[in-house]
Amino acid sequence: MEPLKGLILSGGAGTRLRPITHTSAKQLVPVANKPVLFYGIEALVDAGVTEIGIIIAPETGDEIREAAGDGTQFGAQITYIVQDKPAGLAHAVLTAEEFIGGSPFVMYLGDNLLRDGIRDMVSTFAKDDPDALILLTPVDDPESYGVAELDGEGGIVQLIEKPKDPPSNLALVGVYLFSQLIFDAARRLEPSWRGELEITEAIQTLIDDGRSVQSEVVRGWWKDTGQLADMLEANRLVLEEIEPRLDGDTGDSRVEGRVVVEEGAVVTGSVVRGPAIVGRNARISDAYIGPYTSIGDEVEISGSEIEHSIVLSGSVVEDLGTRMEASLLGRNVKLTRSEGLPKTLRLLVGDNSIIEMQ
């Protein structure tokens, strides 16, 4: 078998994370201060896949190129492939056909996070040599996903996209391994009711053709970070496993549990209760930073309480006098208050905003 290539899908409009994604690709929103996209690149490299194509959209592609570069920082070689319009995952596969060449490949959705990576999946694919290997996970709302119906031995009977009456609770996770046959299957598709070429239908075509399609059920956790609650949950799960490291100045502050304070950060007169991370050159004073909080680079927080939240780089939170929780603040947000706020704030605020709480 030729070496696997990697294909990461990083296009799409990110409508479910607005207003954050009016000004940024959703795959670059950070979890534990690292862009979601980088976790996917690292998962591929960890599995031995270093020649990677990244599908980008015209609107957000430049940001992604700038963030991920040529791949050197990951030990990879990255090629960027523009998908003119979001016409479905199978359309993205066809867009990348020239890059893939004659290789088998792994396709990874750039807004997904998998705790245990894809190394086991890649080795199973190399050993069994099927035409497709898909990853499944039990979900509470299978009608929101592509769902697999299995026979008694774990073989796939059919795949259904967003079924009204799901045949199982096993949803397709955004990782797929394919042989060259997927290109022919994708070319034979008609657009779905959504106007897209659906990857589930392409895989179903392989099944209908009698090709070998295998599945594995995900070990560890998996998150699709397309919505605020999922971003915060992914942030929580990643922070659960961080190694404590205090490279900044914590002075007279109390630091409890697993906490990372990056170089150049200064924390004074505050309590930081982990798991939490404080980014480079951040300034925290007279504040409480609670569990499951990621504070980005060069953020300033004073006289405020924040927990279970993500605050992106360059933002300022001043004298809230109340607790902010389960919130996501974009880049360069300024959040201040005057009087009469509720006891708890929950916010989703886009980049470059100024909010003065009255």
Side-chain angles (χ1 to χ4, degrees):
M1 186 191 287
E2 282 198 42
L4 275 178
K5 288 186 178 177
L7 184 65
I8 298 180
L9 272 54
S10 204
T15 51
R16 294 180 300 165
L17 261 180
R18 285 181 178 157
I20 293 290
T21 47
H22 277 309
T23 50
S24 181
K26 62 180 177 176
Q27 299 85 2
L28 295 181
V29 176
V31 165
N33 285 7
K34 184 196 297 184
V36 170
L37 173 65
F38 289 11
Y39 290 94
I41 298 171
E42 290 170 356
L44 290 180
V45 172
D46 176 66
V49 180
T50 57
E51 197 172 341
I52 298 170
I54 298 185
I55 297 269
I56 53 176
E59 302 80 17
T60 54
D62 287 346
E63 289 177 80
I64 289 167
R65 283 180 203 265
E66 191 176 334
D70 63 3
T72 305
Q73 62 178 309
F74 307 101
Q77 179 184 339
I78 292 178
T79 301
Y80 293 95
I81 304 155
V82 178
Q83 184 184 21
D84 290 337
K85 56 185 187 302
L89 303 189
H91 179 265
V93 165
L94 292 174
T95 304
E97 187 169 11
E98 185 180 342
F99 164 76
I100 298 296
S103 302
F105 65 102
V106 52
M107 183 169 84
Y108 193 110
L109 302 194
D111 52 2
N112 277 223
L113 274 177
L114 280 166
R115 176 184 183 268
D116 293 335
I118 61 169
R119 196 186 289 185
D120 290 350
M121 195 178 178
V122 166
S123 63
T124 299
F125 187 76
K127 177 169 62 70
D128 296 350
D129 197 22
D131 290 305
L133 176 60
I134 62 175
L135 200 52
L136 303 173
T137 191
V139 294
D140 294 332
D141 53 340
E143 60 280 354
S144 301
Y145 298 92
V147 173
E149 180 183 351
L150 305 182
D151 61 24
E153 282 138 28
I156 298 171
V157 177
Q158 64 172 337
L159 300 174
I160 311 161
E161 186 64 36
K162 295 185 172 57
K164 288 190 172 61
D165 185 18
S168 78
N169 69 337
L170 291 172
L172 276 80
V173 173
V175 183
Y176 315 79
L177 287 110
F178 292 124
S179 76
Q180 287 283 301
L181 291 180
I182 197 68
F183 293 113
D184 173 62
R187 269 191 287 274
R188 286 154 59 190
L189 297 180
E190 295 292 330
S192 69
W193 62 271
R194 298 194 297 180
E196 298 186 357
L197 299 182
E198 307 285 358
I199 199 67
T200 43
E201 291 183 20
I203 300 167
Q204 184 66 46
T205 299
L206 295 179
I207 296 168
D208 295 344
D209 288 349
R211 301 297 181 181
S212 167
V213 177
Q214 293 180 202
S215 67
E216 283 198 354
V217 175
V218 97
R219 299 197 244 329
W221 51 261
W222 160 77
K223 278 285 157 205
D224 166 1
T225 60
Q227 301 188 55
L228 173 61
D230 298 320
M231 287 290 308
L232 294 172
E233 175 70 358
N235 189 61
R236 184 185 74 77
L237 290 164
V238 172
L239 288 175
E240 281 280 16
E241 300 182 11
I242 60 170
E243 294 293 326
R245 181 166 47 80
L246 301 179
D247 293 341
D249 178 3
T250 56
D252 60 348
S253 296
R254 264 179 37 226
V255 177
E256 304 171 356
R258 291 191 307 285
V259 173
V260 172
V261 178
E262 298 284 11
E263 196 175 334
V266 177
V267 185
T268 56
S270 299
V271 175
V272 182
R273 185 165 294 147
I277 184 168
V278 176
R280 290 175 182 273
N281 303 319
R283 295 286 181 272
I284 313 286
S285 61
D286 304 316
Y288 168 77
I289 307 299
Y292 309 118
T293 299
S294 293
I295 304 297
D297 296 348
E298 299 182 6
V299 166
E300 295 180 25
I301 295 172
S302 60
S304 303
E305 298 184 11
I306 300 176
E307 71 175 41
H308 191 46
S309 293
I310 299 172
V311 181
L312 272 57
S313 58
S315 289
V316 177
V317 180
E318 289 179 340
D319 302 322
L320 277 189
T322 188
R323 176 167 298 194
M324 183 177 84
E325 66 177 38
S327 297
L328 174 54
L329 299 189
R331 294 166 183 81
N332 305 312
V333 169
K334 185 164 186 186
L335 181 60
T336 60
R337 67 155 327 240
S338 53
E339 296 301 326
L341 281 182
K343 284 185 179 172
T344 306
L345 288 176
R346 295 191 173 200
L347 301 168
L348 173 58
V349 182
D351 297 354
N352 305 312
S353 303
I354 296 175
I355 299 178
E356 296 177 3
M357 297 289 189
Q358 299 294 330

